[in-house]
Amino acid sequence: MDVNSKIYGFLTCILQALLLSSATLEPFDLLHDNGVEAFYKGDYGNVVRYMESALKSFSEVRQTRIRCRLKCSDQHRFDSFLTDKIFEVILYRGHCLNQCIEGKIGAQSMHKISEDAIQDFNRRNPYNYLQLAYRKLGQLDKAASAAHTYFQANPEHVEMGEDLEQYKAQKGVKEEDFIDRESRPHQKAFFAGVKLYDKGNYEESVTLFEEALTEYYRADVECRALCEGPQHFEEQKHVLYKYNLYELISDHYTQVLHCQHECVRDLATRPGRLSPVENYLPLHYDYLQFAYFQAGRNEEALECALTYLLFHEGEEFMTENMEYYREVLGHDGQPRKEAEQYLRRHKQELDLLLIGSSNLGVPYIEGVGSENLKSVISFFLCLFKKAFDLLDHYLLLDKMYAVNVRLVQNSDTLNGSQRVLFDDVISEDECSELKHLTVTAAGDGYKGKMSPHTPNEKFEGATVLKTLKYGYEGRVPLKSAHLFYDVSEKARRIIESYFMLNSTLHFSYTHLVCRTAISGQQDHRNDLSHPIHADNCLLDPEANECWKEPPAYTYRDYSALLYLNGDFDGGEFIFTEMDAKTVTASVKPRCGRMVGFSSGGENPHGVRAVTRGQRCAVALWFTLDPLYRELVRNRVFVVRL
């Protein structure tokens, strides 16, 4: 090694040391990467050191942001609606946040972490490395704890489940070693209270339910504080229309409100589950009113019954309980103030969201003022009418489409209801052309990044409008973009015809997607490419239910997947029972094959891991409600005309 190389290496080390020394906390993604590197070197002592430090750093960054945002919002309040005063408070609050956060964890630029890295921690991936490292070091009690923690958030991981069974059989490993190191206090107390309640230990359960409520409201405050960070504007690229200062603030604040509203769902969802516990917060007051009654504490029972009715006004069984408590006590009571404040705030936020969403939904049109907006709307309505007239004509001329389609399996042979499998829906040449289109036009928020469903695959996608837009810009063949549109329309008519629907089946969403196995990440893989779910309801395997409520796409009625290739390993489409485990049918993708089914809880489905190669398909969701039709197709007609 020459002198210059030595000097360069020395200066690099000094620079890294200075950067890290300026921060009081090392970035958790750097510590995680060091831990992974140590793991592949077989240096298990350093795996433990780095991964435990990474988890501590991740937690400290999160808690620092919460504490600083709450502290600065308390110190610098918006007590006036005067514009100058509002901006003054914003500037002071921003300065307060920078000082507070950087005083705790160092320069914030050191802690700007990629979404992929954050997802690794949210999925508890460091605990997978930790359990293996602790096992190699012979510390089985800590290995069991790490394995249990990981498995709580990844219950589909078969290998980890097997490891846990082995730990239970090991000498020196006790039952109390199987703890969830990432358990959320409000959920831990609530479910412990439910266990005592079910055993009839009402006095003890009251303590835990009250603790759970205290922790829930604290967790809600923290969740909302975390929403006050940078936001992602996936739907608006800031080049489609012009923004002024107030529109930018409005858009950002609307995103924050959406995030804060999602805290209700987040706090009610257990680790590793897709669906929240139904009626989660009101359920606390339901359990409490009866537990207090059983303990002879009718004052508290009445208070909790009245609080429950704030969430579900007029609910018959609780109204009867309330009237009974009033009669026994001889007087009325009051609901709890924290619940009243909570609901009042949520109502105000929902009202603001309606305003904010309407602002987000109206694009800026250059040169169009309010005085001539009506004439512009009339013009487009006229244009859309002509487009739909042309569609009718187009459909009449194109009935030949379905001539070569073969019915392969029906509901009986697929062991379910409202299921069908077709072959030869499109040709090999059409499959090849569409598959190529996916690669060249991909970019609907994925851009070949890690799949939203598994870290072991990359996910690329393109919509009808995106591909047609690229076609007219010359970035993809226009013929291919038109083919995508025509093939999706053909699929719609096949599904509508086969299921003999009496009303028109509208597109809800259409997506051309490819899932690609990431090389080097497929050994001993036991997760799914797409977890088991239903398309219009929230699947709850434990309760054997599928809850048709937001955030599920409750308006979806039928679904279809048209496959473009079969030259890959894994990737089978599977139907299951409501338990999300018992497989009832499996479909191996191939070019031109299409599976169709109703979108409800009668058809839970998922995709097995793609372990080699790339799996491409056209995913289609349909609705019978024209209010929820895919409006971008109107824009496609305008472009094609």
Side-chain angles (χ1 to χ4, degrees):
M1 184 182 291
D2 58 28
V3 175
N4 288 335
S5 297
K6 289 181 178 179
I7 292 172
Y8 175 78
F10 178 69
L11 291 174
T12 301
C13 289
I14 291 176
L15 180 61
Q16 289 178 338
L18 286 172
L19 285 171
L20 289 175
S21 65
S22 66
T24 58
L25 193 69
E26 286 189 75
F28 58 83
D29 61 338
L30 178 62
L31 291 164
H32 176 270
D33 290 346
N34 288 341
V36 173
E37 185 179 349
F39 179 82
Y40 286 110
K41 288 179 179 178
D43 185 0
Y44 300 112
N46 270 329
V47 172
V48 168
R49 183 167 70 88
Y50 283 123
M51 287 299 179
E52 292 288 9
S53 296
L55 289 166
K56 184 178 179 182
S57 175
F58 179 74
S59 176
E60 184 59 33
V61 169
R62 182 181 184 276
Q63 289 303 316
T64 296
R65 286 174 176 159
I66 290 170
R67 286 193 294 266
C68 289
R69 286 172 187 170
L70 293 175
K71 169 192 166 186
C72 293
S73 63
D74 186 58
Q75 289 182 357
H76 304 284
R77 295 177 173 274
F78 294 109
D79 294 327
S80 169
F81 283 102
L82 296 174
T83 304
D84 292 342
K85 184 65 177 176
I86 288 173
F87 284 111
E88 181 182 323
V89 172
I90 289 173
L91 290 172
Y92 275 114
R93 188 179 289 188
H95 179 67
C96 173
L97 277 170
N98 284 332
Q99 282 195 322
C100 180
I101 293 174
E102 294 191 357
K104 298 289 185 182
I105 64 175
Q108 292 194 63
S109 59
M110 292 289 291
H111 298 279
K112 287 185 177 178
I113 313 297
S114 71
E115 285 297 320
D116 290 351
I118 292 171
Q119 282 302 311
D120 279 340
F121 280 79
N122 289 336
R123 292 188 176 110
R124 305 188 180 183
N125 284 348
Y127 288 101
N128 195 1
Y129 289 101
L130 277 173
Q131 73 96 11
L132 292 167
Y134 277 128
R135 185 166 65 188
K136 291 288 187 180
L137 295 170
Q139 300 179 45
L140 297 184
D141 54 339
K142 293 181 178 179
S145 174
H148 182 78
T149 302
Y150 179 81
F151 192 67
Q152 293 305 300
N154 300 273
E156 78 286 352
H157 199 288
V158 177
E159 187 178 15
M160 190 64 76
E162 294 172 350
D163 288 345
L164 280 169
E165 291 303 316
Q166 291 177 13
Y167 288 133
K168 289 175 183 177
Q170 293 282 349
K171 289 183 178 179
V173 179
K174 304 173 185 176
E175 186 177 349
E176 53 265 29
D177 293 327
F178 295 93
I179 58 171
D180 181 1
R181 291 176 51 181
E182 297 287 336
S183 65
R184 306 170 84 175
H186 69 283
Q187 291 187 356
K188 182 178 179 181
F190 174 73
F191 290 109
V194 171
K195 285 184 179 179
L196 289 175
Y197 180 97
D198 289 340
K199 292 177 180 177
N201 298 335
Y202 299 110
E203 284 277 13
E204 295 176 54
S205 72
V206 160
T207 304
L208 286 169
F209 286 132
E210 293 289 9
E211 179 187 340
L213 278 172
T214 301
E215 294 294 345
Y216 179 92
Y217 287 117
R218 181 183 291 118
D220 180 63
V221 169
E222 293 182 351
C223 179
R224 294 165 59 78
L226 287 171
C227 289
E228 294 178 2
Q231 299 296 321
H232 300 283
F233 296 85
E234 294 291 350
E235 299 299 324
Q236 304 164 57
K237 300 302 181 183
H238 294 259
V239 296
L240 300 179
Y241 63 97
K242 296 181 180 179
Y243 279 79
N244 62 40
L245 173 64
Y246 299 104
E247 286 172 331
L248 276 170
I249 293 172
S250 171
D251 284 0
H252 186 94
Y253 185 57
T254 301
Q255 298 287 337
V256 171
L257 285 175
H258 274 291
C259 175
Q260 292 179 335
H261 193 62
E262 277 295 295
C263 288
V264 177
R265 173 184 171 84
D266 175 65
L267 296 179
T269 304
R270 302 177 74 176
R273 306 297 193 274
L274 294 176
S275 306
V277 176
E278 186 185 14
N279 202 31
Y280 182 72
L281 180 57
L283 205 54
H284 289 64
Y285 297 105
D286 185 10
Y287 278 118
L288 275 171
Q289 63 89 22
F290 189 75
Y292 276 127
F293 165 70
Q294 290 291 334
R297 299 166 65 178
N298 291 328
E299 291 278 1
E300 290 91 342
L302 174 59
E303 178 188 55
C304 290
L306 288 166
T307 307
Y308 181 91
L309 289 170
L310 291 176
F311 294 88
H312 300 291
E313 186 178 353
E315 183 112 5
E316 186 177 354
F317 84 93
M318 193 60 74
T319 301
E320 291 176 355
N321 288 357
M322 175 195 68
E323 290 171 351
Y324 171 79
Y325 299 140
R326 283 175 173 171
E327 185 179 343
V328 170
L329 291 168
H331 60 78
D332 202 352
Q334 294 294 325
R336 294 193 177 181
K337 289 185 178 179
E338 76 268 11
E340 288 182 317
Q341 293 168 353
Y342 176 88
L343 288 170
R344 189 182 306 118
R345 187 190 66 220
H346 272 275
K347 184 182 183 306
Q348 291 170 347
E349 288 174 352
L350 284 172
D351 292 341
L352 288 172
L353 273 173
L354 289 174
I355 298 170
S357 296
S358 64
N359 290 339
L360 287 170
V362 180
Y364 175 87
I365 305 173
E366 185 76 42
V368 177
S370 58
E371 68 281 353
N372 62 347
L373 187 57
K374 287 184 179 179
S375 62
V376 173
I377 293 172
S378 298
F379 166 75
F380 277 104
L381 286 174
C382 179
L383 197 57
F384 291 156
K385 183 179 184 302
K386 289 181 180 178
F388 282 111
D389 289 340
L390 278 177
L391 171 61
D392 290 336
H393 179 64
Y394 170 76
L395 293 178
L396 287 172
L397 291 176
D398 213 32
K399 284 185 178 179
M400 65 184 76
Y401 254 175
V403 171
N404 297 320
V405 175
R406 290 192 301 114
L407 174 63
V408 180
Q409 288 183 277
N410 58 19
S411 296
D412 290 337
T413 54
L414 287 170
N415 304 313
S417 64
Q418 296 281 287
R419 300 175 182 177
V420 66
L421 185 67
F422 298 101
D423 272 347
D424 302 328
V425 174
I426 57 176
S427 67
E428 290 282 351
D429 288 343
E430 289 171 325
C431 285
S432 178
E433 190 172 349
L434 289 175
K435 190 178 178 212
H436 180 69
L437 184 64
T438 314
V439 177
T440 53
D444 297 323
Y446 302 104
K447 302 178 183 176
K449 293 183 179 178
M450 181 181 68
S451 165
H453 309 299
T454 171
N456 300 307
E457 297 173 16
K458 288 184 179 179
F459 194 83
E460 297 167 300
T463 62
V464 171
L465 185 62
K466 172 78 76 174
T467 53
L468 202 62
K469 179 175 178 288
Y470 280 10
Y472 278 94
E473 292 173 354
R475 297 164 67 176
V476 301
L478 185 57
K479 174 176 170 288
S480 299
H482 284 164
L483 176 65
F484 180 19
Y485 177 89
D486 294 340
V487 163
S488 63
E489 174 57 31
K490 178 180 180 181
R492 184 196 68 80
R493 287 186 291 106
I494 291 171
I495 296 298
E496 183 182 73
S497 174
Y498 178 79
F499 288 112
M500 295 183 290
L501 303 176
N502 294 323
S503 56
T504 303
L505 193 63
H506 304 277
F507 287 98
S508 168
Y509 190 62
T510 313
H511 210 194
L512 184 59
V513 295
C514 286
R515 305 166 186 270
T516 307
I518 298 176
S519 179
Q521 292 186 204
Q522 305 305 315
D523 292 343
H524 310 298
R525 184 178 168 191
N526 289 290
D527 64 341
L528 295 175
S529 176
H530 196 145
I532 304 300
H533 64 284
D535 286 341
N536 72 6
C537 54
L538 304 173
L539 189 63
D540 186 350
E542 291 185 357
N544 207 39
E545 290 284 354
C546 203
W547 310 106
K548 201 165 184 178
E549 58 187 35
Y553 301 102
T554 56
Y555 48 84
R556 290 178 176 173
D557 295 298
Y558 287 88
S559 309
L561 291 150
L562 174 59
Y563 300 108
L564 305 182
N565 67 315
D567 55 339
F568 52 85
D569 291 341
E572 294 89 351
F573 176 92
I574 54 174
F575 287 113
T576 73
E577 298 284 6
M578 291 278 280
D579 62 6
K581 296 178 181 178
T582 308
V583 176
T584 56
S586 178
V587 175
K588 175 65 178 174
R590 50 169 278 190
C591 168
R593 175 164 286 176
M594 182 171 76
V595 59
F597 48 95
S598 55
S599 304
E602 67 278 5
N603 282 319
H605 58 280
V607 179
R608 288 195 172 119
V610 178
T611 56
R612 181 193 63 82
Q614 186 180 63
R615 175 193 192 271
C616 296
V618 178
L620 307 115
W621 293 272
F622 307 105
T623 178
L624 294 169
D625 189 340
L627 290 175
Y628 294 99
R629 67 186 183 276
E630 192 174 31
L631 294 178
V632 295
R633 287 185 172 261
N634 295 347
R635 295 171 65 185
V636 170
F637 272 122
V638 173
V639 173
R640 295 190 72 173
L641 287 173

